Amino acid sequence: MTHTHDLGAMRLAAAIRARELSPVEVTEHYLDRIERLDSRLGAFVTSTPERAREEARRAEKRILEAPDPAGLPPLLGVPVPIKDLNMVDGVRMTLGSRAYDGFTGFTDDSVVTLLKEAGSVLLGKTSTPEFGLPCYTESAVAPPARTPWDTSRSAGGSSGGAAAAVAGGLAPVAQGSDGGGSIRIPSSVCGLFGIKPTRGRISQGPIVPDLFGLSTNGPIARSVRDAALLLDVMARPMPGDLYMAPPTEGTYLEAADRPPGRLRIARSREPVVPGAEVHPDCVAAYEEASALLEELGHEVVELPPVMDAALVPIFETLWGVMATLTPVDPSQEELLQPLTRWLRAKGDATSGPELLRAHAMLQSALRSAFPVMNEFDAILHPTLAQPPVPIGYFHDQEPAENFERQKHFTPFCAVYNVSGQPAVNVPLYWNADGLPIGVMLAGRLGGEATLISLSAQLEEARPWIDRKPPIWDE
C-alpha cells in the first residue's frame, strides 16, 4: 500500500497538478503525522496547522481554476517546513533559544519568499539548536531532535529537526542551512540526501549577514531529484548579497537526469582535526562508495594534502565571532545555554585585528588548496567520523569537552564551508545496527550540477529510497 508520504515532493507536485491528489488532503495527511508522531522525533518546534490549511485551500482553488496546470508553480500544494533559524512573517521564531521564546517573525527571509512563490505549504518551523551553533539539536525550547532510525540517538544538527521530519515522513522535503556541516551532518545520521550549495548560490537576506560566507541555505530530501527541484526554487541571488556563485547552465533537475560522464574523483579519509579517528563503519561506507564509483567507470585517486590542522583554530575563531552576531539583550544572557555563552565569550574576546588575520589566513590557505582541488571533478570523504550518537553525547558535557567532541564527530564538513564549495551527503550505507552512514562528495565552485548528476547515478546504482525507518508505516 502506497501512503501519501511515500511519494516525495516531485511525485506529489505532479499528482496535485494532475488533480489526482488534493493539496488539502496532502496537508491534512502530514499534519496528522506530525500530531501523532512528532513527540517521538522532536522535528518541529512550532507547527502552523491553520496557516497550512489556509495555504492548501488557496492552492487547491488555484489548481481547479487553472486553464493550463503545466504553468502552475513547481511546488504548488507541496508542504515544505522552514528551519527555525529562518524568519517567516507572523510565525513564532525561537532560534532554538529561550532568549527568543515569544519572538515573532516580522518579515520573510528571501528563501522563504522563494518557497512561497513556488507554491509550497508551510507546515511549521523545524527544531534547531541555540543559534544553530552545535552539530546536534538539543535546546531549551523543544525536545531533542532524534533520528527515526533509532530514537535514542541524535538527528544531528543544526538542521536536525528538518532531517528528522523528512526521514520520519512528517514532510516530503525540508529547507535547511549549513554553516559548518549543518545540512550534511543530519542528512548522514537520518539517511537522506542533502546539498550545501556553492557560496552565494542562495541568498541569506534580507536580515542575516553573510560576512564570512560560511553559511548557506539548502535542501534536505529523500531523493536526489527532490533535492534538485528544491534547489532550483531556492537558488536566486538577491540585491545586497555579498557573494555571487558562478552561473549554471540549465536547471538542477535537468542535471539529475543527465549522465555525468567519466569523472576524475579524489578521495581522502584523513581528518583535518587533530586526534579525530574515523570509525570502522564510516571507513566501510567510504570504501564501498569508492568501489562503486570505480564500478561506474570513474577514475578514483587519492587526494594530495590540501588543508592541515593549523586551520582548525582559525575556523574556531570565526565560529566564536559568529556566535556573537545574534543580538541578545544583556538581561537575557543568563537564559543562554552553557555552550553558547562559552562560544560568545571566545568571540567577544577576539579583537578586530585577530579576526581579520584569521580571515586572511584562511584565504591564504585556499589560494594554495584550490589549484589542487580544481584538478578533480569531485572529492569523496566520509561525511562524519562516527555513526549516530546517543542523545546527550555532546550536550551533557562541559562546553570545552562538548566542542571537542563535536570537532571529532564532524572533522570533514567545515572545510567546504571555509572554501565555499558545494558538497552533498549521499546515503549509500547502513551499518549492522541499521543506522545510516553517509559519504560526502564535494565539487568545484559552481559545481552543484556535476554533484547532482553524479549523485543521481549513485542513487540509480544503489537505490536507497525503499529503506525506511520503523516509524514510517505508522
Side-chain angles (χ1 to χ4, degrees), residues 264 303-307 363-377 379 419 421 444-445:
R264 188 163 189 254
L303 177 70
V306 290
M307 303 280 189
Q363 184 179 12
S364 177
L366 291 172
R367 282 176 166 155
S368 300
F370 270 125
V372 178
M373 294 192 291
N374 285 341
E375 293 180 8
F376 307 102
D377 298 295
I379 301 172
S419 71
Q421 293 165 262
R444 297 188 182 102
L445 286 171

Side-chain angles (χ1 to χ4, degrees), residues 415-462:
V415 165
Y416 297 106
N417 297 90
V418 171
S419 71
Q421 293 165 262
V424 302
N425 177 77
V426 189
L428 292 172
Y429 186 88
W430 272 251
N431 70 7
D433 295 324
L435 298 174
I437 310 286
V439 292
M440 180 170 63
L441 288 165
R444 297 188 182 102
L445 286 171
E448 292 96 323
T450 298
L451 292 181
I452 288 168
S453 176
L454 177 59
S455 299
Q457 184 186 51
L458 292 169
E459 182 180 27
E460 183 178 7
R462 298 282 170 83

Side-chain angles (χ1 to χ4, degrees), residues 197-274:
T198 296
R199 176 179 295 148
R201 181 70 69 203
I202 299 175
S203 177
Q204 293 282 87
I207 303 298
V208 177
D210 46 6
L211 301 178
F212 305 134
L214 295 179
S215 186
T216 177
N217 293 283
I220 296 175
R222 293 179 62 234
S223 74
V224 174
R225 284 167 178 80
D226 277 0
L229 173 62
L230 204 57
L231 183 57
D232 277 325
V233 168
M234 294 180 180
R236 188 195 304 172
M238 296 290 182
D241 291 346
L242 284 181
Y243 301 97
M244 186 73 69
T248 298
E249 290 188 13
T251 69
Y252 296 114
L253 192 54
E254 289 169 347
D257 293 321
R258 185 170 61 240
R262 187 173 191 267
L263 303 180
R264 188 163 189 254
I265 300 171
R267 70 172 202 156
S268 174
R269 62 177 179 91
E270 295 302 319
V272 173
V273 175

Side-chain angles (χ1 to χ4, degrees), residues 186-201:
S187 293
S188 179
V189 301
C190 291
L192 301 170
F193 183 74
I195 304 175
K196 183 202 87 68
T198 296
R199 176 179 295 148
R201 181 70 69 203

